[in-house]
Amino acid sequence: MERMVVQNEQQERYHEYKYFWANEQTESGKEGAMLPIWRYTGHKEKKRNVTSICWNPKYKDLFAVGFGSYDFLKPLVNPSLICIYTIKNSNHPEYTFTTECGVCSIDFHPTSPALLAVGLYDGTVQVYDIRSKFKKPIYQSSVRTNKHSDPVWQVKWNPDSSKGYNFYSISSDGRVTNWILMKNKLEAEEVIKLHLVGKNTEEDSSLIGSACGLCFDFNKFETHLFLVGTEEGKIHKCSRAFSG
């Protein structure tokens, strides 16, 4: 009922969302324009940074937003939020989940759209079932399961779920980790440990220190290959066929 009321009130905006097309040139002379339609805000989200956004792969109106903070001088234990919004109702989120610290990354599973992987500022990774009424993660890493020691800047599901569910994460601690969803726990498998590249190629990289991983992406044609970007500005070509 509420959705219908909102859509009736904002009928013009929904029409613009579906049919808006800018043929005129902008002031800079370049073609195209951006039309702001909705603004999603709430009192709980105030004074927090939007650190990640992800569309749901099945329900095209649904998207998740992770809130955290880039003020690294603040304590790591500040609670934060994950909000699930829909373009059918811009008044408030459909679902809200509270996390123990700032959210850094989120990713919906490509074929199981209710599963949401989350990476937190304290190095924890979590998995939520957004259908659950308990609003708690169904999986969560811990010190016992070899969780990251630094912020998790990206999480990404493995789209092949024929042998079970798993996702990957990268952190400033230099580790790329494969997280396997077991029956009652989240099991970690280290894919690679990134090391700083010394000026001398013969120098032992293990003596220099770990590189701070920020992002990664898998090759769509050779799925065992992936690229990793680091805080130092380096790009590493890696393979899942080898570890270490």
Side-chain angles (χ1 to χ4, degrees), residues 100-239:
E100 295 179 355
C101 67
V103 177
C104 292
S105 52
I106 54 178
D107 189 40
F108 274 116
H109 193 280
T111 57
S112 298
L115 294 180
L116 182 69
V118 180
L120 301 182
Y121 188 77
D122 67 350
T124 302
V125 295
Q126 300 175 330
V127 176
Y128 286 87
D129 184 341
I130 64 173
R131 302 166 300 183
S132 175
K133 62 181 180 180
F134 299 108
K135 307 296 183 182
K136 298 292 184 181
I138 57 175
Y139 291 95
Q140 180 169 318
S141 64
S142 64
V143 176
R144 289 185 177 181
T145 56
N146 200 22
K147 83 177 188 74
H148 291 288
S149 56
D150 287 325
V152 180
W153 295 116
Q154 186 178 356
V155 290
K156 190 176 184 66
W157 285 99
N158 180 4
D160 183 10
S161 57
S162 58
K163 297 181 180 180
Y165 292 98
N166 69 296
F167 65 95
Y168 297 89
S169 64
I170 190 168
S171 168
S172 296
D173 62 8
R175 290 164 47 207
V176 178
T177 303
N178 177 23
W179 298 94
I180 304 168
L181 277 62
M182 309 295 285
K183 186 176 181 180
N184 297 315
K185 65 176 181 176
L186 196 60
E187 186 171 307
E189 179 185 87
E190 186 172 294
V191 179
I192 195 169
K193 177 74 172 179
L194 301 170
H195 296 288
L196 292 171
V197 179
K199 295 181 180 179
N200 184 356
T201 56
E202 297 181 356
E203 191 174 359
D204 188 354
S205 61
S206 63
L207 299 177
I208 302 174
S210 298
C212 297
L214 292 179
C215 56
F216 65 94
D217 193 30
F218 287 99
N219 189 306
K220 292 180 173 59
F221 304 101
E222 298 180 73
T223 54
H224 65 286
L225 295 177
F226 62 99
L227 298 175
V228 174
T230 68
E231 188 178 289
E232 297 75 31
K234 304 293 183 181
I235 298 175
H236 299 262
K237 182 181 179 181
C238 309
S239 173

Side-chain angles (χ1 to χ4, degrees), residues 66-93:
F67 293 91
S69 174
Y70 288 120
D71 186 354
F72 302 131
L73 298 179
K74 289 184 178 180
L76 303 183
V77 294
N78 286 345
S80 197
L81 293 171
I82 303 166
C83 294
I84 313 296
Y85 292 100
T86 174
I87 60 175
K88 295 179 179 179
N89 185 358
S90 59
N91 286 349
H92 57 77

